[in-house]
């Protein structure tokens, strides 16, 4: 019985019969359907009939494949249950979807590093777009130092080091450093003001060997080559307490090191005129910030070198060689994180799992942060962001592309001038919307936190998986699934209103009552049309 009311005036009662809807969608385990009706009127009826003794479950993925960085799109997802046994019975609990359990909380580390990286990439972009690489006379400021072609151990050199200041007159510190190791591909300098209880000669030799034997060959083989402005066929690794000072005392995370593209234009003030990484030094007595031991620094340097070396290569290939502008932040960081992963794989091949873990730990933590709230994270961050959570999304996406495409995809994405999504579409030959849908499906299925898809996953469409990569095994400890946030429902009617960031998705598992059905509708705000440009889509895949 239904009445219509306007203030205190009410119509007479009318009887309206609500049926169970149209035909049931005949999805078999592993099959999926995509709904894209922009009026928000699609209504899909899902069966609760058991198959092979299993009650069915469905993966429901509402997502917005928009590529507008920073945009958010409201939506409403509705579910209407039909079960002969309970259709007329009142609900015992409020309708809705229930968040699944989170097995553990992920430690947030590296935020300070992400903030600095973002700032430097933005400054590089501003320099490039503002003509900073034109061959004009240098700005007024400190003179640049031009090094000798190949230094020898014990020689000294002056450097300008970015200190994080916002004051344009005092953004760089002048330091004097001594060459402590000269390898085939790297020269390691140590700031003369570094605390005396620092790296040993053996530490520096081992660090140089890591770069020469594994990091340099892997990054250059997969992504491209660095410039060699100073003509020494080597990069400089400068270990300096100026980097320690970039982190405020008592911070929850710290800056480990960086690369700054400014050094690759000798005509800019405070440019070192060559290829330089900067990294922090051991400081057990907390002279330059919080105390950091030699052992702690040695655990973070390998990943920093792989990550920042890819940035250096990317800058050379894209800006110096092709004359392009900087890429989108999310792609810049995803490529650098893939350098960490590829170097980790080389260490596994060499039978050195401990070194592999040094390279892989950061990517794992960032990916877990993304999985905790995937609906709030935009994959397509173009500028001004690049948080740890967004980096986790970018890493998992580029890892998926690498597993799907193989070959020289990472190198092609590095050596081109398109930006972000346009580069991905050009190099894969696929449009963004379907590619994004397949990726978010694979994120769920390859972890499969409830084991729902195990019966058919090995024969599933390869586009819905991470081929030849154990994504579930990527997370530790073994046997504990990552903290993927999944909503569950299907035993009660529900109306779920939320919002999606551009190129983001929610993960929902619906399990209708055995023998019944549930009808699902997806729409924009208040159930109406989707926002223009949202590229809203709902994918429903039968799990079992």
């Amino acid at each position: 019985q239904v009445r219509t009311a306007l203030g205190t005036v009410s119509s007479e009662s009318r009887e309206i019969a609500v049926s169970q809807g149209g035909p049931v969608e005949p999805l078999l385990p592993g099959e999926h359907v995509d709904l894209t009706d922009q009026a928000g009127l699609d209504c899909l009826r899902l069966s609760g009939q058991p198959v092979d003794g299993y009650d069915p479950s469905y993966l429901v993925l509402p997502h917005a494949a928009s590529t507008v960085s920073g945009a958010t799109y409201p939506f409403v997802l509705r579910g209407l249950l039909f079960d002969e046994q309970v259709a007329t019975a009142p609900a015992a609990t409020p309708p809705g979807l229930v968040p699944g359990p989170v097995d553990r909380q992920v430690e947030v580390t590296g935020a300070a590093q992400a903030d600095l990286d973002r700032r430097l990439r933005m400054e590089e972009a501003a320099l490039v777009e503002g003509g900073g690489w034109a061959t004009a006379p240098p700005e007024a400021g400190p003179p640049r130092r031009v090094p000798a072609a190949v230094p020898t151990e014990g020689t000294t050199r002056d450097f300008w080091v970015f200190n994080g200041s916002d004051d344009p007159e005092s953004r760089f510190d002048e330091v004097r450093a001594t060459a402590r190791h000269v390898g085939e591909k790297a020269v390691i300098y140590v700031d003369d003001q570094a605390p005396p209880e620092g790296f040993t000669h053996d530490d520096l030799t081992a660090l140089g060997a890591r770069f020469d034997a594994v990091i340099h060959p892997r990054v250059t083989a997969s992504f491209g080559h660095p410039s060699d402005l100073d003509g020494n066929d080597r990069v400089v690794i400068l270990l300096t307490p100026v980097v320690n000072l970039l982190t405020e005392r008592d911070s929850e995370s710290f800056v480990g090191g960086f690369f700054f593209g400014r050094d690759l234009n000798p005509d800019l003030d405070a440019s070192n005129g060559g290829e330089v990484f900067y990294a922090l030094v051991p400081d057990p007595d907390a002279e330059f910030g919080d105390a950091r031991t030699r052992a702690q620094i040695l655990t973070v340097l390998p990943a920093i070198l792989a990550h920042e070396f890819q940035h250096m290569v990317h800058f050379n290939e894209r800006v110096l060689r092709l004359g392009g502008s900087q890429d989108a932040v999310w792609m810049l960081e995803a490529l650098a994180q893939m350098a960490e992963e590829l170097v980790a794989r080389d260490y596994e091949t060499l039978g050195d799992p401990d070194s592999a873990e040094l390279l892989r730990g950061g990517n794992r933590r960032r990916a877990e942060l993304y999985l905790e709230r995937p609906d709030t994270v935009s994959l397509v961050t173009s500028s001004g962001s690049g948080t740890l959570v967004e980096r986790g999304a970018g890493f998992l996406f580029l890892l998926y592309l690498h597993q799907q495409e193989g070959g020289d995809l990472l190198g092609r994405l590095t050596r081109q001038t398109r930006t972000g999504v346009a580069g991905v579409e050009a190099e894969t030959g696929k449009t963004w919307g379907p590619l994004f849908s397949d990726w978010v499906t694979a994120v769920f299925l390859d972890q499969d936190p409830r084991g729902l898809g195990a019966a058919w996953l090995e024969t599933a469409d390869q586009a819905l998986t991470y081929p030849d990569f154990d994504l579930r095994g990527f997370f530790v400890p073994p046997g504990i699934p990552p903290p993927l946030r999944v909503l569950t429902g299907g035993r009660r009617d529900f109306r779920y209103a939320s919002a999606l960031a551009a190129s983001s998705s929610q993960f929902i598992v619906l399990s209708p009552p055995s023998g019944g059905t549930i009808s699902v509708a997806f729409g924009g705000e208040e159930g109406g049309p989707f926002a223009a440009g949202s590229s809203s889509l709902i994918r429903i895949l039968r799990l079992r």
Side-chain angles (χ1 to χ4, degrees), residues 13 29 74 80 141-142 178 206 214 246 305 324 340 345 356 365 386 407 444 520 531:
S13 178
L80 182 62
T178 302
V214 184
L246 289 170
L305 293 183
E340 299 175 43
R345 295 183 186 185
R365 287 189 294 273
F444 179 92
V520 179

Side-chain angles (χ1 to χ4, degrees), residues 238 265 355 416 418 544:
L238 173 60
N265 186 344
S355 291
Q416 50 101 30
R418 302 176 188 88
R544 66 180 184 186

Side-chain angles (χ1 to χ4, degrees), residues 81 83 85-95 491-493:
L81 185 71
D83 187 323
Q85 298 179 354
V86 301
T88 59
T93 59
R491 301 305 172 107
R492 299 291 174 192
D493 297 347

Side-chain angles (χ1 to χ4, degrees), residues 198-233:
F199 296 118
T200 67
H201 186 270
D202 288 345
D203 291 337
L204 300 178
T205 300
L207 184 64
R210 280 189 187 278
F211 190 82
D212 289 351
V214 184
I215 296 174
H216 187 281
R218 170 47 56 202
V219 172
T220 53
S222 298
F223 301 95
H225 295 276
S227 56
D228 188 24
L229 300 185
D230 46 14
N232 60 14
D233 194 32

Side-chain angles (χ1 to χ4, degrees), residues 255-287:
V255 173
F258 64 91
F259 155 75
F260 195 3
R262 189 183 193 92
D263 284 329
L264 299 184
N265 186 344
D267 291 324
L268 291 175
D269 66 299
S271 169
N272 289 303
E275 298 70 31
V276 184
F277 298 125
Y278 306 86
L280 76 177
V281 296
D283 186 14
D285 296 327
E287 181 181 355

Side-chain angles (χ1 to χ4, degrees), residues 107-183:
E107 181 184 2
V108 179
T109 60
Q113 181 73 57
D115 289 343
L116 178 69
D117 287 348
R118 178 173 64 248
R119 178 178 177 183
L120 294 178
R121 301 296 83 80
M122 295 295 291
E123 288 207 23
E124 290 168 352
L127 281 170
V128 174
E129 293 167 8
W133 262 252
T135 56
E139 307 167 15
R144 55 189 173 89
R145 270 65 173 172
V146 179
V150 179
T152 58
E153 286 191 30
T155 58
T156 60
R157 177 185 166 185
D158 293 336
F159 293 88
W160 294 103
V161 184
F162 178 69
N163 60 25
S165 172
D166 293 325
D167 183 354
E169 301 299 323
S170 57
R171 301 175 68 233
F172 297 89
D173 289 349
E174 184 178 18
V175 306
R176 175 157 292 184
T178 302
R180 299 298 183 189
H181 171 81
V182 180

